Amino acid sequence: MFFICLLLSIIIVSKVEIKLFYPLCCAIFIVLLIHVLFTLDFTLGNISYFVSDELAYISHGANSHLSEQGNTDRKLWVVLNSIMQWPFYTDGLFNKLVPLVFLPFLMLVIYRIANNVRVAKYFVFIFPYTLFLSQINLRDILIYVVALYALYIFFSFKNKYKYFLISALLIMLVFLRPFLIPIVIMSIMVTQFIFNQSAVEKRLYLLLKIGLIVIVLSLLGYMLLASRIEQYMRYLTFILENGVNARGSEERIELGIGYILMSIVKFYTTPLPGSIIARALTDYSNQFGYLDDVFRFLSQLSLYISTIYLVYLTILKKNKWSRLLAKKNRAAISVIIYLSLNSLLYAMYYGGGGHSRLKIGVYLTIFLLILIMKSDERRIK
């Protein structure tokens, strides 16, 4: 079933946007090559084939380190793993490459959000950790696909099924990563506020529709995730009263402006390429293998170069940030807001740490900002 699903995803995306066919085939080939090298690393005894949450997914959620609510949050991914295994039901390649089925849709939505700018096809090559993540059995690729499509559909679709599709995508998030639902909705509302509608009636009507969706999803979400919501609230209350743990120690740090700024800077700038190389050459302990460090190094290097280029566009070229709104690419602006809020939450939660798979949003934010500014540059001159 895995190969059928992968073939269908390639056909669907290529039919929708034929320009993506060759970059897509190239990306899939690279992912398969990465997995061959990953398997070689495993064969040499350096790493385990499945680690962390992967063990829960291949055991259909019956893993002791996940709570009952933890399994609920991952229910959709567990089901997808079962589907990909059919009819063999063996724990191996078909599980490991599940995210690869959704990589074509990620490439398509990025391309569409960027208004079909040619360079948008190459995001996964510019930040190649996305390719490495496509052969690790984790939810992240699908979560980005679902959230980005919800925002893209809201601002780009005009047909009568628009709100049904958005609701279906948000329900999928309930069974993938539920705390992202309010972030998606908030991103929509902030974008609508930025791009004020000319008619008051349109604004009120739109707010009414958004409000109804929020109410329905809130009720549904509370019924399904009451214990998780209570857990979030208890944790929030605790850190407000007691501070947060310093990463790697028992020391508690007060949650304040200093902590937030430090977390943002660390989340954005780390891991330093030099520290990745030093760890690989000395005390190697990465559970995902040497290739993980290689692609983290390349992606972080791309992030630094992209940031310098973005600074060049904004300062030396004297482009004004307000002109980003001139093109009125609401889908792109809403995605940037969503990714920024998402990254901010992860930065605060992990104190600026966390694995690179959590930082795909940072890569995509910088990438989209550059594409928007470049696409508007001709209009500004």
Side-chain angles (χ1 to χ4, degrees):
M1 183 58 73
F2 165 78
F3 291 111
I4 294 175
C5 293
L6 179 60
L7 182 61
L8 283 175
S9 68
I10 295 171
I11 292 172
I12 292 170
V13 170
S14 299
K15 188 173 180 63
V16 172
E17 188 53 73
I18 189 62
K19 293 178 182 178
L20 288 176
F21 179 74
Y22 290 113
L24 178 56
C25 290
C26 186
I28 290 173
F29 174 78
I30 293 174
V31 172
L32 294 176
L33 180 60
I34 291 170
H35 189 69
V36 170
L37 297 175
F38 177 90
T39 305
L40 178 62
D41 204 6
F42 161 71
T43 305
L44 294 174
N46 297 324
I47 54 174
S48 300
Y49 196 67
F50 293 106
V51 296
S52 187
D53 287 352
E54 291 183 302
L55 297 170
Y57 304 142
I58 64 173
S59 61
H60 310 291
N63 190 282
S64 58
H65 88 275
L66 294 179
S67 64
E68 181 180 349
Q69 186 60 55
N71 280 324
T72 300
D73 294 353
R74 297 160 171 81
K75 189 65 177 178
L76 178 57
W77 195 247
V78 172
V79 170
L80 288 171
N81 269 263
S82 298
I83 293 173
M84 297 302 173
Q85 283 180 310
W86 185 86
F88 303 106
Y89 295 104
T90 56
D91 300 332
L93 179 67
F94 301 132
N95 294 100
K96 199 71 177 177
L97 294 177
V98 171
L100 183 57
V101 173
F102 305 101
L103 182 64
F105 296 102
L106 180 64
M107 294 178 68
L108 175 62
V109 73
I110 292 173
Y111 186 67
R112 286 299 177 86
I113 287 170
N115 272 347
N116 300 353
V117 176
R118 183 170 58 89
V119 181
K121 296 184 290 187
Y122 306 113
F123 169 77
V124 297
F125 305 108
I126 297 172
F127 296 97
Y129 194 78
T130 312
L131 298 175
F132 181 83
L133 194 59
S134 297
Q135 55 91 53
I136 298 293
N137 191 348
L138 297 173
R139 299 166 288 166
D140 301 86
I141 296 293
L142 179 57
I143 288 170
Y144 279 111
V145 168
V146 172
L148 297 190
Y149 267 107
L151 294 168
Y152 173 72
I153 289 172
F154 185 90
F155 290 104
S156 303
F157 277 35
K158 304 297 182 184
N159 63 53
K160 59 183 179 181
Y161 300 110
K162 168 180 174 178
Y163 291 100
F164 170 78
L165 293 172
I166 295 170
S167 299
L169 290 168
L170 294 182
I171 290 172
M172 288 175 67
L173 279 179
V174 169
F175 299 103
L176 286 170
R177 196 164 284 163
F179 77 84
L180 293 180
I181 296 174
I183 299 179
V184 171
I185 295 172
M186 189 183 304
S187 302
I188 291 173
M189 298 181 74
V190 171
T191 305
Q192 287 298 104
F193 177 77
I194 293 173
F195 294 97
N196 248 336
Q197 300 284 338
S198 57
V200 176
E201 294 82 2
K202 286 185 178 180
R203 292 203 300 271
L204 292 175
Y205 180 60
L206 184 61
L207 287 174
L208 177 61
K209 289 194 289 188
I210 295 175
L212 288 174
I213 293 174
V214 171
I215 291 171
V216 171
L217 289 173
S218 297
L219 292 173
L220 177 63
Y222 187 78
M223 286 187 293
L224 294 172
L225 302 164
S227 61
R228 176 61 87 188
I229 293 172
E230 291 171 4
Q231 178 186 342
Y232 288 154
M233 296 307 296
R234 285 197 303 270
Y235 181 74
L236 178 61
T237 303
F238 180 81
I239 62 173
L240 288 175
E241 293 176 352
N242 302 284
V244 294
N245 279 328
R247 191 167 181 83
S249 75
E250 295 299 322
E251 179 189 358
R252 300 205 72 82
I253 300 176
E254 183 180 352
L255 182 62
I257 297 299
Y259 171 80
I260 294 173
L261 292 176
M262 176 199 70
S263 299
I264 293 172
V265 172
K266 285 180 63 179
F267 191 80
Y268 182 85
T269 58
T270 60
L272 297 173
S275 67
I276 296 175
I277 295 173
R279 187 184 67 177
L281 295 177
T282 56
D283 184 22
Y284 179 75
S285 60
N286 190 342
Q287 61 181 345
F288 292 111
Y290 283 103
L291 282 175
D292 180 68
D293 283 332
V294 170
F295 285 98
R296 291 176 76 188
F297 172 85
L298 293 174
S299 293
Q300 199 68 12
L301 198 60
S302 291
L303 177 62
Y304 293 161
I305 295 171
S306 299
T307 302
I308 293 171
Y309 185 58
L310 183 59
V311 171
Y312 169 77
L313 290 176
T314 55
I315 297 178
L316 298 183
K317 286 289 187 180
K318 298 182 179 179
N319 285 336
K320 302 298 184 182
W321 284 98
S322 60
R323 290 173 178 173
L324 286 174
L325 307 180
K327 196 174 182 180
K328 295 187 177 181
N329 187 343
R330 302 185 185 199
I333 297 300
S334 68
V335 167
I336 290 170
I337 293 171
Y338 163 78
L339 294 172
S340 300
L341 291 173
N342 187 22
S343 298
L344 176 62
L345 282 178
Y346 276 123
M348 292 173 60
Y349 185 81
Y350 287 103
H355 196 266
S356 292
R357 67 187 180 88
L358 303 176
K359 303 181 183 182
I360 300 295
V362 176
Y363 303 154
L364 187 52
T365 300
I366 298 297
F367 186 74
L368 285 176
L369 285 172
I370 290 174
L371 292 189
I372 293 173
M373 295 191 74
K374 286 297 291 182
S375 63
D376 283 341
E377 198 175 33
R378 298 185 186 90
R379 299 170 185 264
I380 293 171
K381 288 180 178 179

